[in-house]
Amino acid sequence: MKYYSMGLEENDIIIYIMKILCISLGTYYAVSKNANIKNNVIINFLIIVIISIICGVFRKLSNVMNSTVCLIILLSIVFSKFNKSNIGYYILITTICLSINYILFTVSAALSYLPDRIINIRNNYIAFISIVIIYFPIIFLFFKIKKFNKGFSFLKEKLINEYFDVLILNISIIILFLVAIIAENYKEKITGNFGIGLIIFSIMLIITIQKFIQLYYKQKLLIQDLNETKQELAEKKEEVEKLEKENLSFSKTSHSIAHKQRSLEYKLNQLMLNTEVASDIDLKDRIENIAKDIKQETIMELTKTDIPDIDDMLAYMQSECIKSKIDFQLQINGNIHYMTNNYISKEKLEILLADLIKNAIIAINYSENTNKSILVRLGIIDDIYSLYVYDSGIEFELETLANLGIKPSTTHADNGGTGMGFMNIFDTLNQYKASMVINEYGAPCKDNFTKVIQIKFDKKNEFKIESYRQDKIINRAK
């Protein structure tokens, strides 16, 4: 009975070294299932042989517990060096795999006990060989089980499931501790008492590993579902952003076309009023209504730029000012043909004028100021081709200033404001690297303009706000 289970090597250091060698090889096989251990197999085997001899000598000089701790540390160092990885991870995985191999070795010893008794084997070496013959096939069969054939999946995530790892590590340490006590104090009573504990904790370890593997795969499925959901949300978000950009682009185009459409409608009306065709068409009521709306205001002839599209747009904007009883003045300085050939296209300049003047009209219409004036300066200003638009309307809303060029923003939607004007303006500024300065002189008053928007084609692409209420603007930006 002495050779049964852990009693074989009680007084034989050679058998202990052989047992450590077999268990170390089993541990190496188990660890390799969980981590990709590199290096030559022969070199690995020789190193494990050396470790087994060292632990055997350590057992002779000390005890089984210290020898087991030495075995864990040496194997962990070797495995981590083989794979060039964190030694902490390999201490965990080596301890768990070593405890499993001790369990399987104990099971093998139990299975070999009955045949040995029947044959009446009394030689420790033969008994040990019979255990080993059962032990290695059990290891291979254990890792042929579907859930274990690729190792313990939760260990491959390298300490990602820390609570699971600590629990299994504690159970493994208890198993190794019980093994050491039984081997060190081989007596019938001690072996029986601690053997029951070893069996219980061995069953706990196997069940715990099985449960953790199930939890791991459930967690993996949840993570996979979460990632798929995130990807789907990202795709939806990207699609929404794309649609928003398309909508914004469409809004900008519609905004620009609307200005041109109104300009052409105005020119068509003027042509109808000034041709004999009008008498042949039933436009009498329409002309009379237009005349009433305009109230027969005297239209001051504007200075021409000699660019028909721009002149038409300026004439249309002048008519809009007359409808709102706004004094509209235009100053041209320099060759506008040169400006449209070198600094900005005539199409962009036409829309730029429309957007700025339209905004000025809205600002004046929201003001109770008796002074209703707009001044447009176009051409060379301070030696730079520029466009300045002065108005006597209300100041910018602080929110509007904060959103300029970032997103459409208007507080005057009920009076024709869409917020797209400044989006178009900033697109044009960026395209031609032009600069813009918004200068607010003061609150509405009867003898001065309240603000001016200066567009300078200076290739600097700068944006500045100069205002009498600078502190409020800075605080709003924060």
Side-chain angles (χ1 to χ4, degrees):
M1 187 70 175
K2 186 179 180 181
Y3 55 82
Y4 175 68
S5 188
M6 303 299 170
L8 281 173
E9 73 278 3
E10 185 182 7
N11 297 312
D12 196 330
I13 194 64
I14 301 299
I15 290 181
Y16 180 80
I17 292 173
M18 290 171 63
K19 186 187 83 168
I20 292 298
L21 175 60
C22 293
I23 291 176
S24 297
L25 289 172
T27 302
Y28 169 78
Y29 178 72
V31 171
S32 66
K33 285 285 185 178
N34 292 281
N36 184 23
I37 296 179
K38 302 172 183 177
N39 213 345
N40 187 285
V41 176
I42 297 173
I43 295 174
N44 294 347
F45 176 76
L46 293 174
I47 292 173
I48 289 172
V49 170
I50 294 170
I51 290 173
S52 301
I53 294 171
I54 293 171
C55 290
V57 173
F58 206 78
R59 159 74 174 85
K60 191 70 175 176
L61 298 174
S62 183
N63 53 49
V64 175
M65 180 60 72
N66 291 334
S67 175
T68 304
V69 173
C70 178
L71 178 62
I72 293 171
I73 293 172
L74 291 176
L75 286 176
S76 300
I77 292 171
V78 170
F79 293 152
S80 66
K81 292 297 181 183
F82 284 168
N83 210 32
K84 296 180 180 179
S85 187
N86 185 357
I87 190 172
Y89 168 67
Y90 279 100
I91 288 175
L92 167 69
I93 196 172
T94 300
T95 303
I96 294 170
C97 291
L98 185 63
S99 65
I100 290 171
N101 275 272
Y102 265 112
I103 292 170
L104 296 178
F105 191 86
T106 304
V107 171
S108 302
L111 292 175
S112 69
Y113 172 70
L114 186 59
D116 289 354
R117 289 285 292 183
I118 293 171
I119 300 172
N120 197 22
I121 296 174
R122 297 186 177 277
N123 186 292
N124 285 354
Y125 290 94
I126 296 174
F128 177 78
I129 291 170
S130 68
I131 294 173
V132 172
I133 290 171
I134 297 172
Y135 168 67
F136 281 112
I138 286 178
I139 293 175
F140 291 117
L141 288 172
F142 180 80
F143 283 103
K144 284 291 183 182
I145 298 172
K146 187 177 180 180
K147 290 185 178 180
F148 304 142
N149 62 352
K150 293 183 180 179
F152 308 129
S153 50
F154 60 89
L155 288 177
K156 293 184 179 181
E157 297 296 331
K158 291 192 180 183
L159 300 178
I160 197 168
N161 302 306
E162 294 180 359
Y163 294 114
F164 295 168
D165 295 340
V166 169
L167 179 56
I168 294 178
L169 179 63
N170 288 337
I171 296 174
S172 301
I173 290 171
I174 291 171
I175 289 170
L176 294 175
F177 179 74
L178 291 172
V179 168
I181 290 177
I182 293 171
E184 191 70 29
N185 303 279
Y186 186 74
K187 294 178 182 178
E188 292 288 342
K189 188 175 181 180
I190 293 175
T191 302
N193 293 335
F194 285 98
I196 293 171
L198 178 61
I199 293 169
I200 292 171
F201 281 102
S202 299
I203 293 171
M204 284 177 59
L205 179 63
I206 300 301
I207 293 173
T208 303
I209 289 174
Q210 183 184 10
K211 292 296 182 184
F212 283 172
I213 288 174
Q214 290 175 353
L215 287 172
Y216 169 78
Y217 281 114
K218 287 180 181 178
Q219 184 185 28
K220 194 172 181 180
L221 286 173
L222 286 172
I223 291 171
Q224 184 179 349
D225 289 342
L226 180 62
N227 289 335
E228 288 175 357
T229 304
K230 283 183 178 179
Q231 185 178 357
E232 187 177 345
L233 286 172
E235 289 173 356
K236 293 292 183 184
K237 185 178 179 182
E238 186 178 347
E239 186 178 347
V240 169
E241 288 177 352
K242 183 180 178 182
L243 290 172
E244 285 179 349
K245 287 181 181 178
E246 289 176 356
N247 183 54
L248 185 61
S249 177
F250 176 75
S251 299
K252 290 178 181 178
T253 304
S254 300
H255 183 82
S256 300
I257 291 173
H259 282 315
K260 290 186 176 182
Q261 182 183 5
R262 294 189 188 100
S263 174
L264 289 172
E265 286 174 354
Y266 174 75
K267 186 169 184 178
L268 180 61
N269 288 337
Q270 292 299 107
L271 288 172
M272 286 182 174
L273 286 170
N274 295 319
T275 60
E276 294 181 359
V277 178
S279 61
D280 297 328
I281 303 174
D282 188 16
L283 295 176
K284 183 178 179 181
D285 292 338
R286 183 179 174 187
I287 293 171
E288 287 178 354
N289 289 334
I290 291 173
K292 287 178 182 178
D293 290 338
I294 297 177
K295 294 183 179 179
Q296 303 298 327
E297 293 281 355
T298 302
I299 299 176
M300 182 182 296
E301 187 173 353
L302 299 176
T303 305
K304 300 296 182 183
T305 64
D306 293 328
I307 302 174
D309 290 347
I310 294 175
D311 288 334
D312 290 343
M313 181 60 74
L314 288 168
Y316 166 67
M317 285 299 166
Q318 182 188 35
S319 72
E320 291 295 297
C321 288
I322 290 171
K323 289 179 184 178
S324 298
K325 296 183 178 180
I326 298 171
D327 179 35
F328 181 81
Q329 297 180 40
L330 174 66
Q331 295 179 3
I332 304 293
N333 188 26
N335 189 335
I336 307 304
H337 278 286
Y338 182 83
M339 183 178 181
T340 56
N341 289 331
N342 294 277
Y343 294 97
I344 182 174
S345 70
K346 65 179 182 179
E347 291 81 8
K348 291 291 184 180
L349 180 58
E350 179 185 359
I351 301 304
L352 194 60
L353 282 162
D355 283 328
L356 290 172
I357 297 171
K358 182 66 175 177
N359 287 342
I361 292 172
I362 292 173
I364 291 173
N365 286 336
Y366 269 87
S367 172
E368 296 180 357
N369 191 3
T370 55
N371 176 18
K372 295 186 175 183
S373 303
I374 294 176
L375 169 62
V376 176
R377 299 175 65 191
L378 177 63
I380 300 174
I381 304 174
D382 295 332
D383 298 325
I384 298 172
Y385 272 98
S386 308
L387 167 60
Y388 285 19
V389 177
Y390 301 78
D391 72 74
S392 59
I394 60 172
E395 310 98 319
F396 282 102
E397 296 285 346
L398 294 178
E399 181 182 355
T400 303
L401 284 176
N403 291 323
L404 281 183
I406 299 173
K407 63 179 182 180
S409 177
T410 181
T411 52
H412 311 309
D414 57 336
N415 199 24
T418 64
M420 296 308 304
F422 268 103
M423 296 298 292
N424 278 339
I425 291 169
F426 273 90
D427 285 346
T428 303
L429 294 178
N430 293 331
Q431 181 179 351
Y432 296 102
K433 296 183 179 179
S435 298
M436 180 166 74
V437 178
I438 296 177
N439 194 333
E440 293 185 333
Y441 300 125
C445 59
K446 65 179 181 179
D447 56 0
N448 198 6
F449 293 109
T450 57
K451 62 180 178 291
V452 58
I453 297 177
Q454 304 171 351
I455 307 293
K456 302 178 181 180
F457 297 94
D458 54 6
K459 301 294 182 183
K460 294 181 179 180
N461 199 18
E462 296 177 342
F463 174 55
K464 295 179 182 178
I465 298 175
E466 298 173 356
S467 176
Y468 71 97
R469 49 182 188 143
Q470 201 76 24
D471 293 341
K472 291 183 179 178
I473 295 172
I474 293 172
N475 292 332
R476 179 64 179 81
K478 291 179 180 178

